Coordinates of all heavy atoms in Angstrom, one line a residue:
Chain C
Y93 N 35.8 13.7 -61.5 CA 35.0 14.9 -61.5 C 35.1 15.6 -62.8 O 34.1 16.0 -63.5 CB 35.3 15.8 -60.3 CG 34.2 16.8 -60.0 CD1 33.4 16.6 -58.9 CD2 33.9 17.8 -60.9 CE1 32.4 17.4 -58.6 CE2 32.9 18.7 -60.6 CZ 32.1 18.5 -59.5 OH 31.0 19.4 -59.2
L94 N 36.3 15.9 -63.3 CA 36.5 16.7 -64.5 C 36.7 15.7 -65.7 O 37.7 15.7 -66.4 CB 37.7 17.6 -64.3 CG 37.6 18.7 -63.3 CD1 38.8 19.5 -63.1 CD2 36.4 19.6 -63.7
L108 N 25.8 20.2 -57.5 CA 26.3 21.6 -57.3 C 26.5 22.3 -58.7 O 26.2 23.4 -58.8 CB 27.7 21.5 -56.6 CG 27.7 21.6 -55.1 CD1 29.1 21.6 -54.5 CD2 26.9 22.8 -54.6
T152 N 40.4 22.8 -48.3 CA 40.7 22.3 -49.5 C 39.5 21.7 -50.3 O 39.3 22.0 -51.5 CB 41.7 21.1 -49.4 OG1 42.8 21.6 -48.7 CG2 42.2 20.6 -50.8
F153 N 38.6 21.0 -49.5 CA 37.4 20.5 -50.1 C 36.5 21.6 -50.7 O 36.1 21.6 -51.9 CB 36.6 19.7 -49.1 CG 35.2 19.3 -49.7 CD1 35.1 18.0 -50.3 CD2 34.1 20.1 -49.5 CE1 33.9 17.6 -50.9 CE2 32.9 19.7 -50.0 CZ 32.7 18.5 -50.7
L154 N 36.3 22.6 -49.9 CA 35.5 23.8 -50.3 C 36.0 24.4 -51.6 O 35.3 24.5 -52.6 CB 35.6 24.9 -49.2 CG 35.1 26.3 -49.6 CD1 33.7 26.3 -50.1 CD2 35.3 27.3 -48.5
V155 N 37.3 24.7 -51.7 CA 37.9 25.3 -52.9 C 37.9 24.4 -54.1 O 37.5 24.7 -55.2 CB 39.3 25.8 -52.6 CG1 40.0 26.3 -53.9 CG2 39.3 26.9 -51.6
L156 N 38.3 23.1 -53.8 CA 38.4 22.1 -54.9 C 37.1 21.8 -55.5 O 36.9 21.9 -56.8 CB 39.1 20.9 -54.4 CG 39.3 19.7 -55.4 CD1 40.1 20.1 -56.6 CD2 39.9 18.5 -54.7
I157 N 36.1 21.4 -54.7 CA 34.8 21.0 -55.2 C 34.0 22.1 -55.8 O 33.5 22.0 -56.9 CB 34.0 20.2 -54.2 CG1 34.7 18.9 -53.7 CG2 32.6 19.9 -54.7 CD1 34.8 17.8 -54.8
S158 N 34.0 23.3 -55.2 CA 33.3 24.4 -55.7 C 33.9 24.9 -57.0 O 33.3 25.2 -58.0 CB 33.1 25.5 -54.7 OG 34.3 26.2 -54.5
G159 N 35.3 24.8 -57.0 CA 36.0 25.3 -58.2 C 35.7 24.3 -59.4 O 35.4 24.8 -60.5
M160 N 35.8 23.1 -59.2 CA 35.5 22.1 -60.3 C 34.1 22.2 -60.7 O 33.7 22.1 -61.9 CB 35.9 20.7 -59.8 CG 37.3 20.5 -59.6 SD 37.9 18.7 -59.5 CE 36.9 18.2 -58.1
A161 N 33.1 22.4 -59.7 CA 31.7 22.5 -60.1 C 31.5 23.7 -61.0 O 30.8 23.7 -62.0 CB 30.8 22.6 -58.8
G162 N 32.2 24.8 -60.6 CA 32.1 26.0 -61.4 C 32.6 25.8 -62.8 O 32.1 26.3 -63.8
A163 N 33.7 25.1 -62.9 CA 34.3 24.8 -64.3 C 33.3 23.9 -65.1 O 33.1 24.3 -66.3 CB 35.6 24.0 -64.1
I164 N 32.8 22.9 -64.5 CA 31.8 22.1 -65.3 C 30.6 23.0 -65.7 O 30.1 22.9 -66.9 CB 31.3 20.9 -64.4 CG1 32.4 19.9 -64.2 CG2 30.1 20.2 -65.1 CD1 32.7 19.0 -65.4
A165 N 30.1 23.8 -64.8 CA 28.9 24.6 -65.1 C 29.2 25.6 -66.3 O 28.4 25.8 -67.2 CB 28.5 25.4 -63.9
A183 N 41.2 22.8 -67.4 CA 40.7 22.7 -66.0 C 41.3 21.6 -65.2 O 41.9 21.7 -64.1 CB 39.2 22.7 -65.9
Y187 N 43.8 21.6 -61.9 CA 43.4 21.1 -60.6 C 44.4 20.0 -60.2 O 44.8 19.8 -59.0 CB 42.0 20.7 -60.5 CG 41.1 21.8 -60.4 CD1 40.3 22.4 -61.5 CD2 40.9 22.6 -59.2 CE1 39.6 23.5 -61.4 CE2 40.2 23.7 -59.0 CZ 39.4 24.1 -60.1 OH 38.7 25.3 -60.0
Chain Q
L154 N 39.8 31.0 -67.4 CA 38.8 29.9 -67.3 C 38.8 29.3 -65.9 O 37.7 29.2 -65.3 CB 39.1 28.8 -68.3 CG 38.5 27.5 -68.1 CD1 37.0 27.5 -68.2 CD2 39.1 26.4 -69.1
V155 N 40.0 29.0 -65.4 CA 40.0 28.3 -64.1 C 39.7 29.3 -63.0 O 38.9 28.9 -62.1 CB 41.4 27.7 -63.9 CG1 41.6 27.2 -62.4 CG2 41.7 26.6 -64.9
L156 N 40.2 30.5 -63.1 CA 40.0 31.4 -62.0 C 38.5 31.9 -61.9 O 37.9 31.8 -60.8 CB 40.9 32.7 -62.2 CG 40.7 33.8 -61.2 CD1 41.1 33.4 -59.8 CD2 41.7 35.0 -61.6
I157 N 37.9 32.3 -63.0 CA 36.6 32.8 -62.9 C 35.6 31.8 -62.7 O 34.7 31.9 -61.8 CB 36.2 33.6 -64.2 CG1 37.1 34.9 -64.4 CG2 34.8 34.0 -64.2 CD1 36.9 36.0 -63.4
S158 N 35.7 30.6 -63.3 CA 34.8 29.5 -63.1 C 34.9 29.0 -61.6 O 33.9 28.7 -61.0 CB 34.9 28.4 -64.0 OG 36.1 27.7 -63.8
G159 N 36.1 29.0 -61.1 CA 36.3 28.5 -59.8 C 35.8 29.5 -58.8 O 35.0 29.0 -57.8
M160 N 36.0 30.8 -58.9 CA 35.4 31.7 -58.0 C 33.9 31.8 -58.1 O 33.2 31.9 -57.1 CB 36.0 33.1 -58.2 CG 37.5 33.2 -57.9 SD 38.1 34.9 -57.8 CE 37.7 35.6 -59.4
A161 N 33.3 31.6 -59.3 CA 31.9 31.6 -59.5 C 31.3 30.4 -58.7 O 30.2 30.4 -58.1 CB 31.5 31.5 -61.0
G162 N 32.0 29.2 -58.8 CA 31.5 28.0 -58.1 C 31.6 28.3 -56.6 O 30.6 27.8 -55.9
A163 N 32.6 28.9 -56.1 CA 32.7 29.2 -54.7 C 31.5 30.1 -54.2 O 30.8 29.8 -53.2 CB 34.0 29.8 -54.4
L166 N 28.3 28.0 -54.2 CA 28.2 27.1 -53.1 C 28.0 27.8 -51.8 O 27.1 27.4 -51.0 CB 29.5 26.3 -53.0 CG 29.7 25.4 -51.7 CD1 28.6 24.4 -51.6 CD2 31.0 24.7 -51.7
Y187 N 42.6 31.7 -53.6 CA 42.8 32.3 -54.9 C 43.9 33.4 -54.9 O 44.6 33.5 -55.9 CB 41.4 32.8 -55.5 CG 40.6 31.6 -55.9 CD1 39.5 31.2 -55.1 CD2 40.9 30.9 -57.1 CE1 38.7 30.1 -55.5 CE2 40.1 29.9 -57.5 CZ 39.0 29.4 -56.8 OH 38.3 28.3 -57.1

Side-chain angles (χ1 to χ4, degrees):
Chain C
Y93 200 107
L94 292 175
L108 271 180
T152 306
F153 175 87
L154 162 63
V155 172
L156 176 61
I157 296 293
S158 71
M160 293 195 299
I164 292 284
Y187 286 102
Chain Q
L154 163 64
V155 171
L156 176 62
I157 296 294
S158 70
M160 294 196 299
L166 170 62
Y187 285 101

